């Protein structure tokens, strides 16, 4: 008789036969940096996550160092927004200055800069606008300048999240021309137009002022289109692909791992975090168990890297043997 239970008999036995694991090395922690002084602003829809001003960020860096997390994804929130998102590509903008500071106080930390305009535009869209339309090709040079200024400030990687067509190629070309040939591009490749980004838009003040992002982010009904989009990014020179959101898109992640040989990251986005936090705060779920199950789900589906707001907790739970 088959007795599968033979190999489930004790914690040590289960550990020996385990097929998948998650390591602290896999984790990337998103952080929000806001212009101004002495700011540590809680984000009400994301308990435990704050916007920090540069003069308060060391406190967060200490927590990251202590957790052993090796990468952060950084978002800037400027004091002034305009139609064309000028602060995104100001070499002394909030994200550029934050990167300089972080690389000075914590040089080994892998700092990944989000490359988008929506936190910087007065209308909250990820591209420039004319007559109510989000323009693609006119946006590309601005994204390229954003990437170059972030890399010049010391970013170890750039992560374009704007979903304009051709953005990876435009950024690669601009980085190469600026003698930043060694800076990798971690591209949000299958980024769906998703309701799961709601809490992030509170955190980054980046909700679109009119309409939605459906003309540039992907339609979540289309897995085969997601694959085409991945190949576009690969051909344009992406070094790492991001699948986003995570939980509802495990099939896309699995497909990416089977159909490409690219390093893969999954973004366990804000709405996924908020749902877990809300249920846990009500005592309806066991937060640690649920979060670790989600992490292993991402690993099973093929992610090497997990971008998650839970990163510091996960690091601690891994060390404790969860
Ligand atoms: C900006 C951006 C978004 C996220 C990452 N970069 C939001 C959006 O597209 O509106 C979402 C991250 C999250 O929800 O945690 N382009
Ligand atoms: Zn955007």
């Amino acid at each position: 008789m088959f007795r599968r239970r033979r190999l489930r008999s004790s914690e040590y036995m289960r550990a020996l036969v385990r097929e998948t694991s998650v390591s602290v090395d896999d984790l990337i922690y998103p952080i929000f940096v806001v212009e101004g002084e002495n700011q540590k602003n809680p984000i009400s829809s994301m308990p435990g996550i704050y916007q920090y001003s540069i003069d308060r960020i060391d406190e967060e860096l200490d927590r990251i160092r202590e957790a052993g997390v090796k990468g952060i994804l950084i978002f800037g929130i400027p004091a002034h927004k305009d139609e064309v998102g000028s602060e995104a590509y100001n070499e002394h903008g909030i994200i550029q200055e934050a990167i300089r500071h972080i690389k000075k106080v914590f040089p080994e930390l892998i700092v990944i800069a989000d490359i988008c305009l929506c936190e910087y535009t007065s209308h909250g869209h990820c591209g420039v606008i004319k007559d109510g339309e989000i323009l693609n090709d006119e946006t590309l040079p601005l994204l390229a300048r954003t990437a170059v200024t972030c890399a010049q400030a010391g970013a170890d990687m750039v992560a374009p999240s704007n979903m304009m067509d051709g953005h990876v190629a435009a950024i690669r070309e601009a980085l190469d021309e600026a003698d930043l040939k060694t800076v990798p591009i971690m591209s949000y490749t299958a980024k769906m137009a998703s309701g799961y980004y709601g809490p992030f838009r509170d955190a980054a003040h980046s909700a679109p002022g009119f309409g939605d992002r459906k003309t540039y982010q992907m339609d979540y009904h289309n897995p085969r289109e997601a694959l085409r989009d991945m190949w576009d990014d690969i051909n344009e020179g992406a070094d790492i692909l991001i699948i986003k959101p995570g939980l509802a898109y495990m099939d896309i992640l699995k497909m990416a791992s089977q159909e490409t040989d690219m390093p893969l990251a999954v973004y366990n986005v804000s709405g996924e975090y908020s749902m877990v936090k809300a249920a846990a705060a009500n005592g309806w779920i066991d937060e640690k168990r649920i979060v670790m199950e989600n992490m292993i789900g991402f690993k099973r589906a093929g992610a090497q890297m997990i971008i998650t707001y839970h990163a510091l907790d996960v690091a601690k739970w891994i060390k404790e043997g969860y």
Side-chain angles (χ1 to χ4, degrees), residues 235-312:
N235 292 329
E236 288 179 29
D239 298 278
I240 297 173
L241 303 181
I242 306 178
I243 312 299
K244 173 182 176 192
L247 294 174
Y249 299 91
M250 295 278 197
D251 59 324
I252 310 287
L253 181 55
K254 185 81 187 173
M255 184 173 67
S257 76
Q258 288 170 337
E259 304 283 336
T260 80
D261 56 5
M262 297 291 288
L264 299 175
V266 65
Y267 199 148
N268 178 211
V269 299
S270 57
E272 300 171 326
Y273 175 85
S274 301
M275 290 193 307
V276 169
K277 284 295 202 184
N282 275 296
W284 296 337
I285 57 167
D286 178 331
E287 179 174 353
K288 179 168 80 170
R289 287 190 66 183
I290 294 284
V291 170
M292 293 312 295
E293 229 172 289
N294 289 345
M295 296 301 124
I296 292 299
F298 296 135
K299 295 290 293 189
R300 267 199 332 272
Q304 278 97 61
M305 288 150 273
I306 304 171
I307 304 166
T308 181
Y309 302 96
H310 299 290
L312 303 188

Side-chain angles (χ1 to χ4, degrees), residues 112-311:
I112 308 165
D114 179 75
I115 307 298
C116 201
L117 300 186
C118 55
E119 297 97 337
Y120 304 90
T121 52
S122 42
H123 44 73
H125 276 288
C126 306
V128 291
I129 289 186
K130 199 175 166 205
D131 302 328
E133 212 186 303
I134 294 107
L135 301 177
N136 195 88
D137 299 9
E138 291 75 357
T139 300
L140 297 178
L142 307 183
L143 296 168
R145 276 165 66 187
T146 306
V148 168
T149 53
C150 287
Q152 281 169 341
D156 298 281
M157 289 203 243
V158 293
S161 64
N162 56 87
M163 293 301 280
M164 296 298 132
D165 286 320
H167 65 151
V168 175
I171 288 171
R172 184 71 272 158
E173 196 179 319
L175 289 173
D176 291 354
E177 267 171 29
D179 208 17
L180 296 160
K181 298 186 182 64
T182 56
V183 176
I185 299 176
M186 184 183 217
S187 172
Y188 290 72
T189 188
K191 176 172 175 179
M192 306 293 169
S194 168
Y196 281 103
Y197 308 149
F200 173 93
R201 293 177 189 175
D202 299 337
H205 299 162
S206 66
F210 68 91
D212 54 41
R213 303 210 203 289
K214 289 182 183 170
T215 67
Y216 45 106
Q217 298 182 349
M218 289 192 38
D219 183 343
Y220 62 77
H221 301 80
N222 304 345
R224 298 171 68 240
E225 184 192 0
L227 187 57
R228 287 207 298 279
D229 211 304
M230 285 177 211
W231 280 107
D232 290 344
D233 285 13
I234 295 169
N235 292 329
E236 288 179 29
D239 298 278
I240 297 173
L241 303 181
I242 306 178
I243 312 299
K244 173 182 176 192
L247 294 174
Y249 299 91
M250 295 278 197
D251 59 324
I252 310 287
L253 181 55
K254 185 81 187 173
M255 184 173 67
S257 76
Q258 288 170 337
E259 304 283 336
T260 80
D261 56 5
M262 297 291 288
L264 299 175
V266 65
Y267 199 148
N268 178 211
V269 299
S270 57
E272 300 171 326
Y273 175 85
S274 301
M275 290 193 307
V276 169
K277 284 295 202 184
N282 275 296
W284 296 337
I285 57 167
D286 178 331
E287 179 174 353
K288 179 168 80 170
R289 287 190 66 183
I290 294 284
V291 170
M292 293 312 295
E293 229 172 289
N294 289 345
M295 296 301 124
I296 292 299
F298 296 135
K299 295 290 293 189
R300 267 199 332 272
Q304 278 97 61
M305 288 150 273
I306 304 171
I307 304 166
T308 181
Y309 302 96
H310 299 290

Side-chain angles (χ1 to χ4, degrees), residues 27-74:
L27 303 170
I28 296 171
Y29 184 55
I31 64 167
F32 300 99
V33 185
V34 66
E35 223 167 308
E37 274 160 39
N38 198 22
Q39 303 288 311
K40 179 183 177 183
N41 310 323
I43 296 145
S44 60
S45 53
M46 301 178 72
I49 304 295
Y50 300 83
Q51 301 169 338
Y52 290 91
S53 52
I54 294 176
D55 59 354
R56 294 286 298 272
I57 197 86
D58 289 6
E59 159 189 339
E60 187 79 321
L61 296 175
D62 287 342
R63 298 197 321 144
I64 293 166
R65 196 184 274 111
E66 197 176 322
V69 167
K70 299 184 172 57
I72 61 169
L73 177 60
I74 181 169

Side-chain angles (χ1 to χ4, degrees), residues 7-22 292 296 299-300 317-318 320-322:
L7 300 181
R8 293 177 201 144
S9 57
S10 70
E11 182 50 36
Y12 274 30
M13 183 68 89
R14 291 190 293 274
L16 277 181
V17 300
R18 204 154 273 160
E19 299 174 36
T20 321
S21 63
V22 60
M292 293 312 295
I296 292 299
K299 295 290 293 189
R300 267 199 332 272
W317 293 331
I318 291 172
E320 291 168 359
Y322 67 94

